[in-house]
């Protein structure tokens, strides 16, 4: 009889252990499914970003090509107009319109400007004042004599 009384409590304990085990198993499976879904979403995002970058690069190339073609067409049109307006002016050659090769590289930072500014200083760091012909003057106490009649009363 003692074994019969002990067996329902043992069976209920085993049932509870089995339920906890199944619950933990489901949680692990759900976590694994979530991780797999996150990996798939990350792969889709990366693929979309790669595709977007390729499209942006392609569009930039197309815009550059269109800009180049438009520039060439504009240069040809300008040359034709110059020939029409100056039909016999072959002794004065036209200046080249394309300046892409002669462009001066301008620094985007102030490093070159600072170097030029400091060149104006002598060895001790003294920089002579600029000559502006400015003269310091005091304001006269009496207003200048009015040689003309003003329609307005004098300001005080």
């Amino acid at each position: 009889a003692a074994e019969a009384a002990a067996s329902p409590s043992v069976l209920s304990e085993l049932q509870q252990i089995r339920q906890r085990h199944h619950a933990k198993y489901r949680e692990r499976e759900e976590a694994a499914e979530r991780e797999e879904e996150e990996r798939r979403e990350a792969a889709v995002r990366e693929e979309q970003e790669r595709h977007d970058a390729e499209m942006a690069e392609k569009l930039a190339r197309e815009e550059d090509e269109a800009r180049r073609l438009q520039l060439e067409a504009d240069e040809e049109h300008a040359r034709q107009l110059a020939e029409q307006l100056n039909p016999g002016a072959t002794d004065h050659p036209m200046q080249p319109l394309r300046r892409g090769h002669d462009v001066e590289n301008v620094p985007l930072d102030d490093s070159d400007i600072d170097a030029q500014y400091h060149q104006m200083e002598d060895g001790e760091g003294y920089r002579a004042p600029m000559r502006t012909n400015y003269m310091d003057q005091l304001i006269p106490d009496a207003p200048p004599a009015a040689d003309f009649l003003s329609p307005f009363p004098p300001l005080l």
Side-chain angles (χ1 to χ4, degrees):
E3 288 181 14
S7 90
S9 67
V10 170
L11 289 177
S12 66
E13 286 179 26
L14 286 175
Q15 184 66 23
Q16 289 174 354
I17 291 171
R18 186 175 291 139
Q19 287 174 351
R20 284 192 303 254
H21 174 72
H22 282 294
K24 287 181 183 181
Y25 177 76
R26 280 193 302 267
E27 288 174 5
R28 285 193 304 267
E29 288 294 315
E30 289 171 359
E33 287 176 8
R34 281 192 303 271
E35 288 176 8
E36 182 62 30
E37 183 64 28
E38 288 172 1
R39 276 192 292 253
R40 281 194 297 261
E41 289 174 359
V44 167
R45 274 194 308 272
E46 288 175 8
E47 178 65 24
Q48 184 65 37
E49 288 173 1
R50 186 188 60 76
H51 181 263
D52 291 347
E54 288 175 359
M55 288 296 290
E57 186 177 326
K58 179 182 175 187
L59 288 174
R61 281 194 309 266
E62 289 175 358
E63 287 177 3
D64 288 344
E65 181 67 18
R67 209 174 291 126
R68 186 186 62 78
L69 291 174
Q70 183 64 42
L71 179 64
E72 289 175 1
D74 290 347
E75 288 174 353
E76 178 62 24
H77 185 67
R79 187 190 61 75
Q80 290 173 358
L81 286 176
E83 288 177 359
Q84 289 175 3
L85 294 175
N86 303 320
T90 58
D91 55 340
H92 289 45
M94 290 178 42
Q95 75 180 43
L97 296 175
R98 191 173 288 256
R99 297 184 185 182
H101 304 293
D102 303 340
V103 174
E104 178 182 335
N105 287 335
V106 178
L108 298 178
D109 58 356
D110 294 334
S111 60
D112 192 36
I113 295 170
D114 290 340
Q116 290 176 0
Y117 178 77
H118 291 296
Q119 286 176 356
M120 293 187 275
E121 297 175 353
D122 65 0
E124 298 173 2
Y126 173 76
R127 182 174 172 268
M130 294 174 54
R131 294 185 200 141
T132 62
N133 295 331
Y134 174 77
M135 293 179 53
D136 228 358
Q137 295 181 0
L138 293 175
I139 299 174
D141 291 332
D147 293 338
F148 61 92
L149 294 175
S150 172
F152 302 105
L155 297 175
L156 300 176

